[in-house]
Amino acid sequence: MQFTFATAAAILAFANAAVAYSSTKRTFAVNHFYGKGPLVEGAMDPIVNPGTRAGHVHTIQGGNAFSINLSSPDQLLKQSTCTSSLVKNDLSAYWAPKLYFRAKDGTFKDVELFYMNVYYFFDATDDKIQAFPPGLQMLVGDSTLRTPPATGGRQIIDLADGKPQPVQWTCPRSNDNTPLYPTDSDGLHGVGIQDPGNKGSGVGFPDKNCDGYASPLRADIHFPSCYNPAAGLTNYKNNMAFPTHGNCPQGWIHVPHLFYELYWNTPKFADQWTQGQGNQPFVLSNGDPTGYSLHADFVSGWDVATLQQIIDNCDAGSSGMDKCPGLIGGLNDPSTSCNIEPEIKDTIVGVMNTLPGNVALGTWGVNAAPATPSKPQTSAAPVAPNPATSAAPAQSSTAPVNTPTSPEAPVESEKPGATQPSSSPVGGVFVPKPSNTAVTTVANAVPAPTHAPIGGGSNTLVTSYVSETTVVWTTVTAPLPAATASGDSVSTAGWSYHGCFSDSNDRVLSGIKFANIGHRQVTNTKCVAYCDSKGFSMAGTEYGGQCFCGNALSGSTSVEESKCNMPCEGDNKETCGGSLTLSVYSKAPNAKRSLSGRHIHKHLRRLSQ
């Protein structure tokens, strides 16, 4: 074929048409992590405290070239030999403060990170979304806050909705019949404030035990998505801003909207405190007992071509970036682990008389002064080695650091409720003058539940929580990578494959929603066995890791078999539905097809091709 200008134009037009997001549609893909614990935990923060001990302990994920010295923008890319990200070409660094439990005797115990997800949202916009430039540094949140935002408990992540409020706490519960926060809480006396648009979330710590299935207390952190190249890669106080009606100011670059989810294993301490009394025992590593100072950092170590390909082509959603078509560079082996030793040697796990670094415990209603690094402290009792780290050597650099050296101070100088100038920093990011362009329709990631209207507007999100019998339908918590195949499936007598069927926000199989099969254990066989044991005649699997039971498909229609295309988390040789599609099995007296029949074998052939 002769390559002409017309051919080139046609190819370009096809490429542009292939971009998944649009001015009315948000797409997203979840970045999963793997291995034994996070990359590392320690008093390290190369953005705020380069070259020295940070003011408090952080939990860190990403490339193993992470160091208190990030001497060049591309250090993570050039020096990392592995990453805790499942995607090989993501060598970025992600971190947030570690969580602790304060016992009745005044000692502190570390709370284990259950798991972490990072959503990459490609929001509805008129802008072109571009990959992060290597070395871009971002920080969101204010580590000194001990008072609630003037906007109350709602989440705000678009300037059209008001002053940004990008951090919250989500508390999945097995029984949410009572309010998560006291209805009369002012957020100043031991407990935070409810989000009026989401009964599972709020600002500040709640006073309830978060015992949702595979979903304990969760820190939710949204980053801005407008980068000001005039400010520069390392000017973390002024180089980022939230969009206005989904769009960035002229001359700024629209980058992916990051959303961190950090799940902390708080149910482990449920029998050590009394819930629902207007106070709670958890505290962040910076001494914050309120949760208002939740914050996070990011340094980009992405291969630019890989991330741009994901932005333009991937809408894998909660199934994960590992399902993105044509992923460049491939995936890491989830049976391995990428860990480093902390450069700052502290006691950070076990039982301690004080928080690591002798950080003082703060007070509700009184904002803290910037933390001053102090000498490491010793434990009150013998402490086991941190299981999150391994003997792999840390890579560091002694070259000069080109980042600001100011302490982690509040970027907001006004008191809550004060008027914010249109060109000053807010919540760790810069607030530019509003853009002249606007998007008239901005889609949420998925519809919100009718009983929990979304607060705010534009790109404001409502985060999710699930239990065995109920679900708040929002940005569904991402399943983790599919497990290694466990062998041939086992048939359940009397059951047969029914077909691939559409699901809805209200769930077409509503007897049991999100059945408790076990973390990352869902297979068709296990789902059918579970539903059978509960007396139901139909079972369905979805999103590779969800199980539903019922006796009828309410409002569902049969769809093409190709729509059910996600490997089961408990056995990746099986197929467990797809995005809002169910692999459905039914119980009938004269069933001739077993679970290991047509549906599974058809997909096995697809996998072998």
Side-chain angles (χ1 to χ4, degrees):
M1 180 182 71
Q2 184 179 5
F3 191 85
T4 64
F5 178 82
T7 304
I11 293 173
L12 180 60
F14 174 79
N16 289 336
V19 173
Y21 65 89
S22 70
S23 63
T24 59
K25 179 186 177 183
R26 166 192 284 137
T27 59
F28 73 101
V30 178
N31 193 8
H32 295 310
F33 300 93
Y34 72 101
K36 298 177 180 178
L39 173 76
V40 66
E41 292 184 317
M44 299 174 286
D45 188 335
I47 290 182
V48 177
N49 302 107
T52 187
R53 189 190 194 284
H56 52 272
V57 173
H58 294 98
T59 295
I60 302 155
Q61 298 276 26
N64 70 342
F66 181 86
S67 168
I68 59 175
N69 295 291
L70 289 179
S71 60
S72 63
D74 57 359
Q75 177 177 323
L76 288 168
L77 274 171
K78 285 186 174 181
Q79 295 185 15
S80 290
T81 58
C82 71
T83 174
S84 60
S85 170
L86 191 60
V87 177
K88 280 188 176 180
N89 283 350
D90 176 21
L91 302 172
S92 305
Y94 309 82
W95 68 97
K98 184 170 173 59
L99 189 68
Y100 288 87
F101 173 82
R102 190 186 185 209
K104 293 179 180 179
D105 63 2
T107 60
F108 296 89
K109 303 175 183 178
D110 69 294
V111 181
E112 178 186 10
L113 178 70
F114 195 55
Y115 62 92
M116 177 178 179
N117 293 321
V118 175
Y119 284 70
Y120 275 66
F121 285 114
F122 316 124
D123 290 327
T125 182
D126 291 327
D127 302 333
K128 174 177 173 55
I129 300 178
Q130 300 182 42
F132 299 117
L136 175 63
Q137 298 181 0
M138 295 194 290
L139 184 152
V140 68
D142 185 342
S143 70
T144 68
L145 288 182
R146 308 292 184 266
T147 53
T151 50
R154 71 191 186 109
Q155 178 189 91
I156 302 174
I157 55 174
D158 190 292
L159 294 178
D161 298 328
K163 182 177 176 179
Q165 168 47 35
V167 299
Q168 282 190 324
W169 293 92
T170 291
C171 182
R173 292 184 289 161
S174 58
N175 186 333
D176 60 0
N177 292 332
T178 58
L180 179 60
Y181 296 82
T183 56
D184 60 351
S185 175
D186 62 2
L188 296 171
H189 299 90
V191 66
I193 302 175
Q194 179 75 54
D195 182 338
N198 186 353
K199 66 178 182 178
S201 299
V203 296
F205 290 124
D207 65 345
K208 302 293 193 301
N209 179 40
C210 308
D211 61 350
Y213 166 59
S215 301
L217 180 65
R218 188 179 86 198
D220 291 350
I221 307 163
H222 289 273
F223 281 79
S225 56
C226 297
Y227 166 57
N228 181 8
L233 296 173
T234 62
N235 186 0
Y236 66 90
K237 290 185 178 181
N238 300 294
N239 63 1
M240 298 298 300
F242 286 93
T244 301
H245 293 295
N247 293 333
C248 295
Q250 185 174 4
W252 292 50
I253 297 172
H254 201 138
V255 295
H257 160 195
L258 298 184
F259 169 48
Y260 289 11
E261 288 183 337
L262 292 96
Y263 288 87
W264 297 99
N265 195 11
T266 52
K268 176 182 177 181
F269 303 93
D271 61 351
Q272 300 179 43
W273 66 290
T274 303
Q275 291 84 44
Q277 302 297 308
N279 52 70
Q280 62 81 46
F282 295 102
V283 56
L284 290 170
S285 58
N286 62 348
D288 176 20
T290 71
Y292 299 132
S293 73
L294 182 61
H295 59 282
D297 304 67
F298 171 77
V299 177
S300 180
W302 272 98
D303 171 73
V304 172
T306 302
L307 181 55
Q308 193 63 53
Q309 195 272 347
I310 292 171
I311 294 169
D312 292 341
N313 299 286
C314 185
D315 189 17
S318 57
S319 61
M321 278 187 183
D322 45 304
K323 306 299 191 301
C324 288
L327 183 66
I328 300 171
L331 304 174
N332 286 304
D333 180 355
S335 67
T336 63
S337 191
C338 180
N339 306 99
I340 61 176
E341 288 291 327
E343 292 171 280
I344 305 299
K345 304 297 183 182
D346 277 352
T347 297
I348 63 173
V349 298
V351 180
M352 293 160 281
N353 289 322
T354 65
L355 289 167
N358 294 317
V359 172
L361 184 65
T363 304
W364 285 79
V366 180
N367 287 343
T372 301
S374 60
K375 296 180 180 180
Q377 43 67 244
T378 57
S379 64
V383 180
N386 185 359
T389 58
S390 71
Q395 298 187 34
S396 62
S397 171
T398 56
V401 179
N402 58 3
T403 52
T405 57
S406 57
E408 187 169 358
V411 293
E412 304 176 34
S413 58
E414 80 282 8
K415 296 180 180 179
T419 301
Q420 182 70 27
S422 62
S423 60
S424 62
V426 169
V429 295
F430 197 77
V431 180
K433 294 181 179 179
S435 169
N436 293 326
T437 59
V439 177
T440 56
T441 304
V442 179
N444 287 316
V446 285
T450 56
H451 64 277
I454 295 178
S458 292
N459 283 334
T460 300
L461 297 177
V462 179
T463 50
S464 67
Y465 61 99
V466 300
S467 70
E468 182 170 322
T469 57
T470 60
V471 59
V472 172
W473 181 264
T474 53
T475 55
V476 179
T477 300
L480 295 178
T484 303
S486 59
D488 294 334
S489 60
V490 179
S491 300
T492 299
W495 287 77
S496 63
Y497 177 61
H498 195 65
C500 184
F501 286 79
S502 64
D503 200 1
S504 70
N505 300 343
D506 295 326
R507 299 305 184 184
V508 299
L509 287 174
S510 57
I512 292 180
K513 303 175 184 179
F514 293 92
N516 189 345
I517 304 300
H519 189 43
R520 293 200 241 178
Q521 298 300 310
V522 172
T523 65
N524 292 309
T525 300
K526 290 179 180 179
C527 181
V528 165
Y530 181 94
C531 296
D532 188 52
S533 71
K534 299 295 183 181
F536 291 97
S537 61
M538 303 192 81
T541 55
E542 187 171 322
Y543 272 123
Q546 300 169 357
C547 174
F548 302 87
C549 306
N551 292 315
L553 291 168
S554 177
S556 179
T557 58
S558 177
V559 298
E560 296 178 4
E561 287 292 324
S562 61
K563 298 291 186 181
C564 289
N565 55 16
M566 292 186 179
C568 299
E569 291 182 353
D571 186 342
N572 61 13
K573 290 187 176 67
E574 295 186 20
T575 296
C576 287
S579 176
L580 274 183
T581 55
L582 287 158
S583 294
V584 177
Y585 296 84
S586 60
K587 186 176 184 179
N590 299 315
K592 295 182 180 180
R593 289 174 293 182
S594 71
L595 287 176
S596 56
R598 179 174 65 88
H599 181 60
I600 293 175
H601 286 166
K602 178 176 73 66
H603 289 291
L604 285 176
R605 288 197 298 272
R606 180 188 300 167
L607 288 171
S608 63
Q609 292 175 350

